[in-house]
Amino acid sequence: MLKSKTFLKKTRAGGVLKIVREHYLRDDIGCGAVGCTACGGAHEGPALEPQPQDPASSLCPQPHYLLPDTNVLLHQIDVLEDPAIRNVIVLQTVLQEVRNRSAPVYKRIRDVTNNQEKHFYTFTNEHHRETYVEQEQGENANDRNDRAIRVAAKWYNEHLKKMSTDNQLQVIFITNDRKNKEKAVEEGIPAFTCEEYVKSLTANPELIDRLACLSEEGNEIESGKIIFSEHLPLSKLQQGIKSGTYLQGTFRASRENYLEATVWIHGDNEENKEIILQGLKHLNRAIHEDIVAVELLPKSQWVAPSSVVLHDEGQNEDDVEKEEEREQMLKTAVSEKMLKPTGRVVGIIKRNWRPYCGMLSKSDIKESRRHLFTPADKRIPRIRIETRQASTLEGRRIIVAIDGWPRNSRYPNGHFVKNLGDVGEKETETEVLLLEHDVPHQPFSQAVLSFLPKMPWSITEKDMKNREDLRHLCICSVDPPGCTDIDDALHCRELENGNLEVGVHIADVSHFIRPGNALDQESARRGTTVYLCEKRIDMVPELLSSNLCSLKCDVDRLAFSCIWEMNHSAEILKTKFTKSVINSKASLTYAEAQLRIDSANMRDNITTSLRGLNKLAKILKKKRIEKGALTLSSPEVRFHMDSETHDPIDLQTKELRETNSMVEEFMLLANISVAKKIYEEFSEHALLRKHPAPPPSNYEILVKAARSRNLEIKTDTAKSLAESLDRAESPTFPYLNTLLRILATRCMMQAVYFCSGMDNDFHHYGLASPIYTHFTSPIRRYADVIVHRLLAVAIGADCTYPELTDKHKLADICKNLNYRHKMAQYAQRASVAFHTQLFFKSKGIVSEEAYILFVRKNAIVVLIPKYGLEGTVFFEEKDKPNPRLIYDDEIPSLKIEDTVFHVFDKVKVKIMLDSSNLQHQKIRMSLVEPQIPGISIPPDDISNMNLNGPQKKKMKFEK
């Protein structure tokens, strides 16, 4: 049966276009119930059980299927995902609405539908002759869809009666829309709200915790005092943004101060790029990463970023007066140039909430069901949830979702989603840090694995097409110990004409990952391999990462080679790119390669090759530094693990050898050579990497710190910065130069991927290179896979595809890659932080020398060189008299009683693990030297240390 609509449309040219829309209706769409004689098994895929064995409902004791409406699917997906809920009919109408309104929920519902054990059935009601409804005159789309859902529910109940005479099966309509429910009951459809139904499942009381609380009025503290101003409706916000009254931007909460945030304004408005918000009422219920509309306050109300560290640790849920007192702490007399544009949130344009990991702060009120949840991420406010299993969840990591934030509530409302496990357990904490940093870590799906080559694999004649055979060359790889995903290998040999041939050979991952298939899509989504202290989350399945793509020694492997002819002064005379087959002659560690180079009696081919490479690398590095490349420093640590328990037993900073630098120089050279080649061929859609120069204000902290030691740091160009860092030596203080380089690293901007056709600034500041890309690590970075594809097309070794030459698609890929790389970096730091805690848990309390990196109003941030560990020493503690503190931002310095602390001062600190707050176990540091009465801890007195300090330690892991 065919329904068709015809309408006329006027074209731009003034012509008239007749449009006919045809809608096919069918009789052969099955109801999804197995054994239904009326349908004759017309359905395919996951189906409903003929006799649902679901938990008994006190509202509906007989067997039944559930049919939820759109809002139930959107808001109560956590309930529907629970194993207790099965046999659910998902209508096409509902699915289409969900798809339009929330991509993440749509993906989750598709996953549930594909799970055979859940018995969710998608019913194509819009193409079924008896359930299709047309929109009536005067009826809006929403009402039409509500009616379509009720028609389908009614049809189901009548249809199921035909299955057998004694059939008790019912379809229950689940809706939270009061009017829709009333109409359904009038039409004889059994209908309940989601809450009514879930509460009727007496055998599954824990399901109630997963209910999203949606009625904002009903969930209030009884006092009902209005705390926040109302959010303006979207229409008013859009008008205000258009007229310039309001500014739109991304809300970024502060980790160090819960009463402060910044909003990064969208667009090219250079004047007010960043707006500060201070105080609860000005933050007005915005949550980290929300897109908000802000109103700029008059200049007389502008403030300076606060140097106070404040964490929300109050036990009293709604003590707003106390908050106002704390807000006053932020307001201190500052010079006018320190003031920044200040504003307040007037409305929310888009909520960017996600499920949050954290812990339950159990209410002190006995038998209370209302508790506060404290997220692991300090930028997220605490969330009020209702749960009946508080005693079970205490001391465990859980996931909670936010439902809403009413005006008269100090905290947002939410609901319990999942229990992850005991706090402090390695598996639980690793899961938390992967979830919190949005690292995709589920096992690869069957669809993805199906695109892997079949084993046993070998190189065929077809693979050799457009490939050079380089198996005769003396190629070797140099990597960290234990590395199984070997991306790169090198060779160097003397040519007959006296010049040198140098080759960088990179795993040919793009040979195995073909554009657009499930394997390619999953690799693109992951973007990067994430290296944790004891675990690697691969970007590509292990068969590729540790086997077929890994350039292991003594096996034939496919590679992409970049080969230069150089003279002995490391000047490039010729460059050649080719797909190749190689056979690595040795897989060495940096230490093994160094031993070969230094050994007087080793003269074999591999050692000769390494010596040639090392000699050239030194020349290349010298040239780079002369051009202004920066040599920065970052304290990187390595754990030594116990072979049985896998707990860290030693912690030390990583040792860098000449061979590290040797490999790095040739990787940089290959990346630059490839960048030039792909930009030459594809000026509009080359995937490149840039490192923007930092704004001068970024360097203030470095310049002031150096000045306090009578040293001058010039920052007008990268070259002048590099030269002044080289000159900044102190014979009496050799570690000062390293500290300055660590501080300089903190001033840098993030390097980012971009598409050449969407940008005109290509410069890489840190490497002092006019153009740069990533080519050398395709096993662990998706950017390199794209670059390999571009280079292959450029040299005629592979064919192109539409997305590769679409600069907008490429820009989207870059956006995801930049996000994934940033998150991977944060996850790595979090992993180092957790393993550092495990180390100090077993080590107990230690005293070590430290250097001050930053001074704050009420604290100093120190670095302990021995462990590469950074932490904060607080001088204000709860329940202790506050010392006399004088903070000077200009020098910068902090005077405590009669002792003055400057950046880079040497101090002695006591390090211990503070487990008083299970949620944020942290390394606690206390001052031992210099001695300040009432502040310092005598070296031998540790028994009375207060373990309830508020600060978490931070860890820098990577440049």
Side-chain angles (χ1 to χ4, degrees):
M1 180 179 164
L2 185 67
K3 294 259 180 189
S4 65
K5 279 183 187 169
T6 308
F7 54 94
L8 303 174
K9 185 180 173 186
K10 195 174 180 183
T11 64
R12 272 189 182 170
V16 174
L17 195 65
K18 183 180 180 183
I19 294 173
V20 178
R21 287 219 175 122
E22 296 182 335
H23 189 89
Y24 290 88
L25 298 180
R26 299 169 57 163
D27 300 317
D28 59 348
I29 296 171
C31 69
V34 176
C36 173
T37 48
C39 296
H43 51 262
E44 287 175 11
L48 304 160
E49 291 178 296
Q51 285 301 313
Q53 301 300 309
D54 290 331
S57 160
S58 55
L59 286 173
C60 184
Q62 64 263 50
H64 55 267
Y65 301 141
L66 299 179
L67 192 150
D69 73 358
T70 309
N71 283 325
V72 169
L73 231 62
L74 280 170
H75 302 298
Q76 306 294 354
I77 181 71
D78 290 321
V79 172
L80 294 171
E81 282 179 333
D82 193 279
I85 302 292
R86 293 163 34 188
N87 292 296
V88 174
I89 298 159
V90 182
L91 297 180
Q92 180 190 2
T93 311
V94 170
L95 206 54
Q96 282 170 345
E97 278 197 283
V98 169
R99 187 178 191 170
N100 293 335
R101 286 168 62 182
S102 171
V105 174
Y106 177 73
K107 186 186 180 303
R108 285 168 73 182
I109 208 70
R110 295 299 306 179
D111 290 345
V112 176
T113 313
N114 291 332
N115 179 351
Q116 303 279 351
E117 290 168 13
K118 289 281 284 173
H119 297 285
F120 273 49
Y121 178 66
T122 308
F123 178 60
T124 322
N125 64 311
E126 294 289 354
H127 290 281
H128 193 292
R129 191 200 290 266
E130 292 177 46
T131 57
Y132 172 73
V133 300
E134 285 203 41
Q135 195 166 340
E136 292 171 356
Q137 214 167 356
E139 186 179 44
N140 65 29
N142 206 24
D143 290 344
R144 180 260 167 211
N145 287 349
D146 284 348
R147 188 162 58 87
I149 296 167
R150 291 196 305 275
V151 165
K154 192 167 185 177
W155 175 84
Y156 254 105
N157 275 313
E158 287 166 4
H159 176 80
L160 291 176
K161 284 175 190 164
K162 297 175 192 170
M163 273 178 73
S164 65
T165 46
D166 58 342
N167 187 20
Q168 295 287 302
L169 256 177
Q170 266 193 325
V171 168
I172 295 179
F173 178 39
I174 305 289
T175 178
N176 288 331
D177 182 329
R178 192 165 44 84
K179 283 183 182 166
N180 206 6
K181 186 188 162 195
E182 284 168 8
K183 283 181 183 172
V185 173
E186 275 171 31
E187 292 167 20
I189 304 164
F192 302 110
T193 66
C194 194
E195 193 173 340
E196 285 168 347
Y197 180 75
V198 167
K199 284 181 176 173
S200 78
L201 302 175
T202 45
N204 298 80
E206 75 286 347
L207 256 181
I208 299 170
D209 291 354
R210 302 188 75 166
L211 274 171
C213 52
L214 298 172
S215 58
E216 297 208 335
E217 301 78 32
N219 282 294
E220 292 334 304
I221 296 297
E222 279 62 30
S223 70
K225 182 183 168 191
I226 300 291
I227 303 169
F228 300 102
S229 55
E230 201 170 348
H231 287 151
L232 298 178
L234 199 56
S235 54
K236 279 196 177 167
L237 297 177
Q238 284 165 339
Q239 278 173 6
I241 290 162
K242 212 171 181 181
S243 65
T245 318
Y246 307 136
L247 297 166
Q248 176 179 328
T250 305
F251 182 89
R252 299 269 165 84
S254 161
R255 268 196 182 87
E256 296 196 328
N257 185 342
Y258 74 102
L259 294 173
E260 186 168 284
T262 47
V263 172
W264 289 80
I265 300 305
H266 300 168
D268 302 323
N269 177 1
E270 282 306 313
E271 192 187 347
N272 298 320
K273 201 74 190 141
E274 199 181 318
I275 291 175
I276 288 189
L277 313 175
Q278 262 184 17
L280 269 186
K281 289 177 181 167
H282 286 171
L283 301 179
N284 197 5
R285 299 171 285 154
I287 289 170
H288 184 64
E289 292 294 343
D290 282 349
I291 309 294
V292 297
V294 288
E295 178 181 48
L296 214 53
L297 296 174
K299 278 198 174 177
S300 58
Q301 293 177 39
W302 284 14
V303 296
S306 148
S307 302
V308 177
V309 178
L310 273 185
H311 292 149
D312 181 9
E313 297 198 323
Q315 287 309 304
N316 188 348
E317 291 186 4
D318 289 85
D319 193 350
V320 179
E321 283 73 20
K322 184 84 174 168
E323 306 293 356
E324 286 166 5
E325 226 173 88
R326 292 188 119 188
E327 283 172 25
Q328 286 311 311
M329 272 180 72
L330 307 182
K331 296 174 172 52
T332 46
V334 284
S335 64
E336 205 155 301
K337 70 175 193 339
M338 296 293 290
L339 297 176
K340 293 272 164 72
T342 308
R344 68 185 188 94
V345 171
V346 290
I348 309 289
I349 291 161
K350 183 173 181 276
R351 287 290 195 191
N352 274 325
W353 297 341
R354 60 180 175 83
Y356 301 102
C357 297
M359 288 180 74
L360 200 67
S361 309
K362 200 167 165 233
S363 170
D364 296 336
I365 304 161
K366 213 176 173 194
E367 302 299 315
S368 172
R369 287 179 181 176
R370 265 192 192 155
H371 306 274
L372 277 179
F373 161 83
T374 309
D377 186 341
K378 292 199 168 178
R379 295 167 301 189
I380 307 298
R382 297 201 281 177
I383 301 162
R384 187 183 284 113
I385 68 167
E386 281 198 32
T387 176
R388 287 147 184 77
Q389 40 182 339
S391 44
T392 320
L393 297 178
E394 220 180 351
R396 298 180 83 91
R397 292 279 194 186
I398 63 172
I399 298 180
V400 161
I402 297 179
D403 300 324
W405 194 341
R407 289 175 59 198
N408 56 348
S409 170
R410 166 70 183 82
Y411 297 109
N413 293 326
H415 66 274
F416 166 79
V417 175
K418 191 181 178 187
N419 182 348
L420 293 174
D422 288 332
V423 70
E425 274 189 6
K426 218 177 291 183
E427 289 72 25
T428 307
E429 295 302 328
T430 303
E431 179 73 6
V432 167
L433 76 87
L434 291 171
L435 287 167
E436 278 299 291
H437 295 97
D438 195 14
V439 175
H441 59 285
Q442 300 74 20
F444 289 99
S445 69
Q446 253 346 96
V448 169
L449 299 174
S450 69
F451 286 97
L452 292 174
K454 302 289 171 275
M455 297 302 284
W457 175 85
S458 60
I459 296 170
T460 64
E461 216 169 289
K462 188 183 169 197
D463 295 335
M464 290 303 294
K465 197 181 167 206
N466 296 329
R467 241 175 236 286
E468 230 174 289
D469 192 339
L470 304 178
R471 285 176 282 201
H472 60 284
L473 292 176
C474 186
I475 293 170
C476 67
S477 62
V478 184
D479 291 283
C483 176
T484 59
D485 52 343
I486 303 169
D487 284 292
D488 51 87
L490 300 152
H491 89 272
C492 174
R493 63 173 180 167
E494 195 155 339
L495 298 171
E496 286 174 7
N497 62 9
N499 290 331
L500 297 168
E501 179 187 85
V502 177
V504 166
H505 310 276
I506 306 299
D508 189 3
V509 179
S510 63
H511 173 83
F512 296 98
I513 300 180
R514 301 311 294 163
N517 69 23
L519 176 57
D520 182 44
Q521 287 170 3
E522 182 60 19
S523 308
R525 186 174 80 92
R526 294 185 178 217
T528 178
T529 291
V530 181
Y531 294 90
L532 305 181
C533 292
E534 266 193 288
K535 193 175 185 177
R536 190 179 83 199
I537 314 293
D538 280 325
M539 178 185 87
V540 298
E542 197 179 6
L543 178 67
L544 295 183
S545 67
S546 298
N547 189 350
L548 301 186
C549 291
S550 186
L551 304 181
K552 300 189 289 189
C553 61
D554 303 321
V555 286
D556 292 352
R557 287 289 176 257
L558 301 179
F560 210 146
S561 301
C562 173
I563 299 167
W564 303 279
E565 186 178 324
M566 291 182 176
N567 60 23
H568 288 264
S569 309
E571 289 163 343
I572 297 171
L573 308 171
K574 279 186 200 159
T575 306
K576 179 174 87 171
F577 303 103
T578 177
K579 289 236 178 182
S580 60
V581 179
I582 66 163
N583 186 305
S584 170
K585 303 297 180 274
S587 297
L588 306 172
T589 64
Y590 290 119
E592 287 165 352
Q594 193 68 54
L595 282 172
R596 279 176 177 263
I597 291 168
D598 298 341
S599 167
N601 50 11
M602 289 191 83
R603 289 184 183 81
D604 59 283
N605 288 348
I606 291 170
T607 309
T608 310
S609 178
L610 286 169
R611 285 188 186 132
L613 289 165
N614 197 38
K615 190 179 154 200
L616 291 170
K618 285 178 181 174
I619 303 168
L620 288 168
K621 187 169 186 178
K622 190 165 173 276
K623 283 184 184 173
R624 255 190 341 105
I625 287 167
E626 278 167 10
K627 272 204 248 162
L630 298 173
T631 311
L632 299 176
S633 184
S634 169
E636 292 197 13
V637 295
R638 176 172 294 271
F639 292 94
H640 294 275
M641 299 293 185
D642 184 295
S643 58
E644 301 230 337
T645 63
H646 297 286
D647 285 338
I649 47 177
D650 195 13
L651 170 62
Q652 63 192 54
T653 45
K654 286 183 185 173
E655 187 187 342
L656 294 177
R657 295 178 172 83
E658 256 185 21
T659 43
N660 290 70
S661 179
M662 174 188 85
V663 173
E664 185 186 9
E665 285 308 315
F666 287 107
M667 295 307 118
L668 294 175
L669 192 62
N671 286 335
I672 292 167
S673 297
V674 171
K676 287 175 181 168
K677 178 71 179 172
I678 60 172
Y679 179 59
E680 205 177 279
E681 289 290 327
F682 308 108
S683 60
E684 283 293 294
H685 45 260
L687 191 152
L688 302 174
R689 186 165 176 82
K690 68 172 180 175
H691 182 213
S697 59
N698 277 31
Y699 286 125
E700 270 176 29
I701 183 82
L702 175 68
V703 172
K704 284 178 185 175
R707 199 182 299 139
S708 72
R709 297 276 159 180
N710 297 320
L711 296 168
E712 188 188 12
I713 296 286
K714 290 196 168 126
T715 60
D716 44 336
T717 64
K719 189 169 170 63
S720 57
L721 172 65
E723 285 170 354
S724 51
L725 281 170
D726 288 341
R727 284 195 302 271
E729 296 280 356
S730 166
T732 56
F733 186 1
Y735 196 64
L736 176 66
N737 192 264
T738 307
L739 287 169
L740 282 165
R741 288 180 195 277
I742 288 170
L743 218 48
T745 308
R746 307 292 165 87
C747 303
M748 292 300 141
M749 305 290 281
Q750 192 84 35
V752 290
Y753 296 110
F754 69 101
C755 170
S756 59
M758 307 287 275
D759 210 318
N760 44 23
D761 171 25
F762 293 8
H763 192 76
H764 196 293
Y765 180 80
L767 297 172
S769 175
I771 191 165
Y772 191 66
T773 193
H774 271 164
F775 163 75
T776 55
S777 295
I779 296 178
R780 61 186 177 89
R781 291 188 304 229
Y782 188 74
D784 305 51
V785 176
I786 296 284
V787 169
H788 276 227
R789 288 173 183 170
L790 288 164
L791 184 61
V793 175
I795 64 167
D798 206 344
C799 48
T800 186
Y801 58 100
E803 284 78 8
L804 194 63
T805 52
D806 181 333
K807 62 181 182 182
H808 297 285
K809 290 257 169 67
L810 219 51
D812 288 341
I813 289 172
C814 290
K815 190 179 172 185
N816 178 55
L817 292 177
N818 292 330
Y819 170 70
R820 292 292 182 207
H821 275 262
K822 186 172 71 177
M823 284 312 186
Q825 215 173 7
Y826 291 160
Q828 284 158 354
R829 287 178 198 167
S831 180
V832 170
F834 174 62
H835 280 77
T836 307
Q837 289 170 13
L838 289 179
F839 171 69
F840 282 105
K841 191 175 186 176
S842 58
K843 196 161 177 69
I845 299 166
V846 293
S847 289
E848 288 295 344
E849 284 183 347
Y851 294 99
I852 297 176
L853 275 184
F854 305 101
V855 291
R856 303 275 188 245
K857 266 189 189 172
N858 57 347
I860 55 173
V861 178
V862 298
L863 175 77
I864 296 155
K866 182 177 175 182
Y867 299 125
L869 177 65
E870 197 181 307
T872 306
V873 179
F874 279 89
F875 298 117
E876 289 180 333
E877 292 197 33
K878 276 193 286 190
D879 312 322
K880 276 194 177 182
N882 284 346
R884 193 173 73 252
L885 301 175
I886 301 167
Y887 172 70
D888 185 337
D889 183 59
E890 279 305 305
I891 300 176
S893 69
L894 179 66
K895 187 175 181 183
I896 304 162
E897 300 298 343
D898 298 317
T899 308
V900 181
F901 291 97
H902 296 94
V903 175
F904 304 145
D905 280 358
K906 193 176 187 176
V907 294
K908 196 167 192 182
V909 294
K910 192 152 275 179
I911 315 160
M912 62 194 301
L913 179 68
D914 174 0
S915 305
S916 58
N917 177 346
L918 275 176
Q919 162 85 323
H920 291 118
Q921 293 195 36
K922 58 203 166 222
I923 301 298
R924 178 85 186 282
M925 295 192 185
S926 308
L927 192 67
V928 176
E929 287 172 18
Q931 288 279 325
I932 303 173
I935 299 288
S936 306
I937 299 213
D940 51 353
D941 176 26
I942 53 165
S943 56
N944 57 3
M945 284 186 73
N946 169 24
L947 295 189
N948 298 312
Q951 170 66 6
K952 91 172 170 125
K953 82 147 205 44
K954 287 185 201 143
M955 189 72 210
K956 290 288 167 193
F957 185 78
E958 201 176 276
K959 282 187 210 174

